[in-house]
Amino acid sequence: GNDPLNKFAVVMNKVDLVNPKEKLLLSVSHVGSMAESVIRQLLHQRRNPAKVRLGDLVDTVIKTHLDEEGFENIHEDDIEMFTAVAPQFLFTSAITKDDEGVDDVLGLLLHRATPSKNWIIDAESATGMSPIEQVEEIIREKIYRCLHREVPHSVQQQNRMFRLIEPKRKKSDTVDEEKNKILRIHQDLVVKTKSHQKLVLGSGGKTLERIRSTAVRDLEDA
């Protein structure tokens, strides 16, 4: 739209664990340069439309963000937009309910929420995501919980099977057919390097099994 309101923000959590606090400034500088690189890429994409995989975009940002400064590689007509969407940084520890940082995040979300008389999601629906999107989101959450540093960001999910299967049963069974069906999900986790493969598998496959088992528990409740 024509509204230059910045809807891009960076929330840095657990700042209470950072010592000395000067490290926060270094983190802000590093993340800020990555955010600006993302904006550069998106502005360039808008002027030169082409299909770009999200993974390729992330790789480009990681490789180039330290070498770009200021308005470098920004079209002169995009400088105002580039400045307008620069990210706002919020800091929180999220330890207690009255944490000022949490209130700042909630306030920002409410302030930037798009006013609308028509709800995107039906009042009776719990989510706007499709069943397979919900599955991918649950598995993605477990990937982030079980892996650390840059590894979760390098894992790509590929759905192989999402199918309701009716198990074999005796003629005497009178169980409701729909309730008796089994949802079979096969999903591949794809990484680019052998080192990341080892980290995803874990010792004796324990990390991958933890991702699977914790995802299954949530999927059964979904």
Side-chain angles (χ1 to χ4, degrees):
N2 296 323
D3 185 2
L5 181 64
N6 173 11
K7 293 191 176 183
F8 180 21
V10 177
V11 179
M12 303 193 74
N13 193 19
K14 300 303 179 186
V15 296
D16 56 300
L17 301 179
V18 180
N19 285 299
K21 296 303 180 185
E22 287 75 10
K23 288 185 178 180
L24 277 177
L25 298 178
L26 294 175
S27 297
V28 168
S29 176
H30 185 70
V31 175
S33 67
M34 294 184 70
E36 289 181 355
S37 183
V38 170
I39 299 169
R40 285 189 184 89
Q41 294 296 324
L42 295 178
L43 290 175
H44 177 75
Q45 178 73 8
R46 191 175 67 166
R47 288 193 170 275
N48 303 277
K51 289 186 177 180
V52 178
R53 293 174 60 253
L54 179 59
D56 293 337
L57 174 62
V58 172
D59 289 342
T60 300
V61 168
I62 292 175
K63 291 177 182 177
T64 63
H65 76 278
L66 293 176
D67 299 324
E68 299 174 318
E69 294 183 359
F71 299 126
E72 187 176 349
N73 296 326
I74 300 295
H75 191 281
E76 60 181 8
D77 293 337
D78 291 334
I79 291 178
E80 184 177 352
M81 175 63 73
F82 178 79
T83 304
V85 298
Q88 177 180 350
F89 280 79
L90 299 174
F91 303 91
T92 177
S93 297
I95 297 176
T96 61
K97 292 182 179 180
D98 57 353
D99 190 319
E100 292 183 3
V102 173
D103 289 339
D104 291 340
V105 174
L106 291 175
L108 179 73
L109 293 174
L110 290 172
H111 176 66
R112 296 184 181 177
T114 303
S116 176
K117 293 182 180 179
N118 300 317
W119 295 97
I120 298 177
I121 300 176
D122 188 273
E124 297 180 356
S125 300
T127 176
M129 294 189 293
S130 67
I132 192 169
E133 287 174 334
Q134 293 181 59
V135 168
E136 290 176 347
E137 191 71 14
I138 288 173
I139 296 175
R140 169 60 56 179
E141 180 211 347
K142 304 312 173 189
I143 292 171
Y144 275 92
R145 286 186 179 276
C146 296
L147 300 171
H148 307 286
R149 298 185 183 277
E150 80 283 357
V151 180
H153 303 280
S154 69
V155 178
Q156 294 183 352
Q157 296 167 254
Q158 291 184 356
N159 190 66
R160 295 298 184 187
M161 179 183 289
F162 188 85
R163 185 186 305 164
L164 279 173
I165 298 176
E166 187 174 341
K168 293 181 181 180
R169 63 178 187 276
K170 299 178 181 179
K171 293 182 179 180
S172 58
D173 293 341
T174 58
V175 181
D176 187 295
E177 290 187 3
E178 286 298 320
K179 291 184 178 180
N180 199 38
K181 288 183 178 179
I182 297 173
L183 177 59
R184 178 160 292 175
I185 302 168
H186 290 178
Q187 187 166 117
D188 291 342
L189 303 184
V190 182
V191 293
K192 295 182 179 180
T193 67
K194 287 287 185 180
S195 60
H196 283 177
Q197 181 185 40
K198 291 180 180 179
L199 290 171
V200 172
L201 285 172
S203 177
K206 291 181 180 178
T207 300
L208 184 60
E209 172 57 25
R210 186 161 66 250
I211 293 173
R212 188 201 67 82
S213 61
T214 53
V216 167
R217 284 200 295 269
D218 280 10
L219 290 168
E220 289 175 344
D221 295 335

